[in-house]
Amino acid sequence: MGEETVDTPGGCVEAMPLSRVHVWLCAAMSLLYMANGMGMESALFVFPRMQRDLGIATTELGFVFSSQWGGSLLGTIVLSFVESAGRRRALMMWMVFAAAGCVVQALADGLGMLVTGRIIAGFGMGAAYPIGMGLLAELLPSQRRSTLLIIPHLGYPTGALLALAAAAAEVPWRVTLALPVVPVVGWLVLGVVFIPESPRFLACAGRPGEAWEVVRG
């Protein structure tokens, strides 16, 4: 590929000043990380109550906790096969997938259903993570990219702390496991209303006019 200039969509992105689009993008990716932090850590915080209600052995804690990480690994591996419809649409699909996994966990009647829900949630988050950060990196001007890419990473510990606070306040464990649905819904609202499609994807898909609409705001 040749060098990108202001006459190409990629070059125009580099020339863009920071705008509300970048703010919404950073906010949306922060919500993605927040949902993952809640989902990954919440089972650990509420395990004693889950153990009592579902009859889970203490020795099975590691299996419950690691199942979402395993799902995340699988989601990351397969994501490259599902971006053909565009990064924005793929992100929405995987966020809904992750939210469904959280709901399955919250409704679990035993170890099998709980682990299944965590694998589903992890799979969705694992697929959404790199797609979302790729879209964010693509739309951020290079001179601010390294700084602004830090912001979404604050979402994970924030989400974990919120899950801890819910557990400490003795919020029902099923509600705590379903909490990631809240930032997912927030992400979907921002995604539908404010987040554009990847201009490079549009250009490569033979839709240069739409690519220019994105970079020109």
Side-chain angles (χ1 to χ4, degrees):
M1 295 180 61
E3 182 180 354
E4 291 186 317
T5 69
V6 291
D7 295 321
T8 65
C12 190
V13 167
E14 296 299 329
M16 287 174 65
L18 288 178
S19 66
R20 284 179 294 180
V21 170
H22 299 117
V23 174
W24 292 126
L25 274 168
C26 288
M29 294 306 109
S30 297
L31 289 173
L32 188 159
Y33 274 68
M34 182 183 294
N36 200 32
M38 286 179 174
M40 287 290 189
E41 309 298 336
S42 58
L44 181 63
F45 301 144
V46 301
F47 185 76
R49 283 178 282 163
M50 283 196 308
Q51 181 183 32
R52 180 191 64 219
D53 293 349
L54 300 181
I56 301 173
T58 302
T59 54
E60 294 169 327
L61 170 60
F63 186 57
V64 171
F65 189 66
S66 63
S67 57
Q68 189 154 338
W69 287 106
S72 182
L73 175 62
L74 290 174
T76 302
I77 291 172
V78 305
L79 74 90
S80 59
F81 298 102
V82 292
E83 285 192 71
S84 58
R87 286 183 175 174
R88 179 172 173 267
R89 188 172 299 177
L91 264 173
M92 291 181 181
M93 178 183 72
W94 289 124
M95 292 297 282
V96 170
F97 199 82
C102 295
V103 172
V104 171
Q105 292 178 66
L107 298 176
D109 58 4
L111 177 64
M113 190 172 176
L114 177 65
V115 169
T116 299
R118 288 186 64 78
I119 291 173
I120 293 172
F123 193 96
M125 287 296 177
Y129 247 49
I131 297 173
M133 292 308 291
L135 178 60
L136 180 60
E138 178 180 333
L139 288 170
L140 289 176
S142 58
Q143 65 271 22
R144 301 289 183 89
R145 190 172 298 146
S146 59
T147 300
L148 294 177
L149 282 176
I150 295 172
I151 295 174
H153 291 274
L154 300 176
Y156 190 100
T158 301
L161 288 172
L162 289 173
L164 174 60
E170 298 190 353
V171 172
W173 67 264
R174 295 183 186 275
V175 175
T176 302
L177 292 185
L179 279 178
V181 174
V182 176
V184 167
V185 170
W187 192 99
L188 290 172
V189 170
L190 292 178
V192 170
V193 179
F194 297 108
I195 297 178
E197 182 52 270
S198 157
R200 287 189 176 91
F201 167 81
L202 293 171
C204 292
R207 297 153 64 184
E210 294 178 56
W212 279 112
E213 287 180 14
V214 171
V215 298
R216 288 170 175 164

